[in-house]
Amino acid sequence: MTTPLFCFILFYMRKSLKKICAACGAVFLFASCATTKLRPVYVTNTTKVQLLPTDAVKTEIDDYYLFEGVFGDKVFSSLAYLTMNSRETAVVMLSGLGVTLGEIIYDGKICTIDSAVIPDKLKPEYIVLDLQNAFADFGKLKNHYESSGLLFTESIENVAEGGEKATVRTISKGKDEIERIEITKKSVLVKNNLRKYEYRLTRSEE
């Protein structure tokens, strides 16, 4: 749950943080950035898919989120500024005062990461694909996974507290559910059953 202090900081720093993100992010990347050839994501241990093009995003996003996750015995949390549009997917991780802790950027050709927040074994392509699974066009995702022999589904379920409806997207191989994504107006919960990680993105409130 978003704390009052968190809301206070965002209320007074929201506009300036966008400029800070851009400026600090550029310096951060110039100083130390792991740029790699775009790698496919192994959705199962034997089945891999490439990331979708950046223009597969259904609705453009430009907002702050609280990013909380667990990967194995590693727990991580930070404020994140998420951008998804036809040109790029970018996650800038920030401290409560707007200091850049790291970022992931995907421009359709390469994926870059520089972060002390996210565990090294959790590759950036996996996070970008998870974001696409949540926010990209369902039809494009369905066709993309089916071409690799995987099932991608979408349904509406009562999974949130208070009976709030959630859009639930799943990736399956046969009877095995590999990943589940629960999407509400305020948050996105990703649970990867195979890789044993999960994280929640909660949209900030002013």
Side-chain angles (χ1 to χ4, degrees):
M1 181 178 294
T2 307
T3 66
L5 177 60
F6 181 74
C7 295
F8 179 84
I9 291 171
L10 285 180
F11 182 79
Y12 286 101
M13 298 186 66
R14 187 177 181 86
K15 292 184 180 179
S16 61
L17 271 174
K18 290 186 179 181
K19 296 179 181 179
I20 292 172
C21 289
C24 292
V27 173
F28 207 87
L29 280 177
F30 181 79
S32 173
C33 179
T35 303
T36 62
K37 181 179 179 181
L38 192 60
R39 296 169 293 193
V41 175
Y42 276 86
V43 182
T44 74
N45 291 329
T46 57
T47 306
K48 58 186 178 181
V49 300
Q50 292 287 352
L51 296 178
L52 276 72
T54 53
D55 61 6
V57 62
K58 183 178 181 180
T59 303
E60 292 194 358
I61 298 171
D62 189 34
D63 211 343
Y64 291 97
Y65 289 80
L66 181 61
F67 183 32
E68 303 170 288
V70 179
F71 181 54
D73 60 352
K74 304 292 185 181
V75 178
F76 51 95
S77 175
S78 77
L79 173 63
Y81 194 81
L82 174 61
T83 302
M84 291 188 75
N85 54 45
S86 60
R87 300 175 302 281
E88 69 172 2
T89 293
V91 184
V92 180
M93 286 154 284
L94 305 162
S95 71
L97 295 176
V99 177
T100 303
L101 301 176
E103 46 184 13
I104 295 171
I105 297 177
Y106 168 59
D107 66 0
K109 296 179 180 179
I110 60 174
C111 209
T112 62
I113 181 171
D114 198 333
S115 174
V117 178
I118 297 175
D120 293 339
K121 291 184 179 180
L122 186 53
K123 303 303 181 185
E125 288 88 353
Y126 282 80
I127 294 178
V128 172
L129 184 61
D130 287 340
L131 292 172
Q132 291 184 339
N133 290 338
F135 296 114
D137 178 78
F138 171 71
K140 292 180 180 179
L141 285 164
K142 187 174 185 296
N143 292 335
H144 187 60
Y145 281 107
E146 284 184 352
S147 66
S148 297
L150 300 169
L151 180 63
F152 190 83
T153 66
E154 180 180 275
S155 60
I156 304 298
E157 299 181 17
N158 274 325
V159 297
E161 293 181 4
E164 183 182 0
K165 298 287 187 179
T167 298
V168 177
R169 291 179 165 186
T170 64
I171 305 167
S172 302
K173 178 77 171 182
K175 296 181 179 180
D176 297 326
E177 183 179 275
I178 300 162
E179 185 166 280
R180 178 182 177 90
I181 306 103
E182 299 176 4
I183 309 157
T184 67
K185 293 180 179 180
K186 296 181 179 180
S187 70
V188 174
L189 175 63
V190 176
K191 293 182 178 181
N192 191 299
N193 300 316
L194 180 64
R195 306 299 175 198
K196 305 301 180 184
Y197 71 82
E198 69 175 76
Y199 56 86
R200 183 186 295 272
L201 287 164
T202 304
R203 188 161 54 86
S204 67
E205 298 180 4
E206 293 184 345

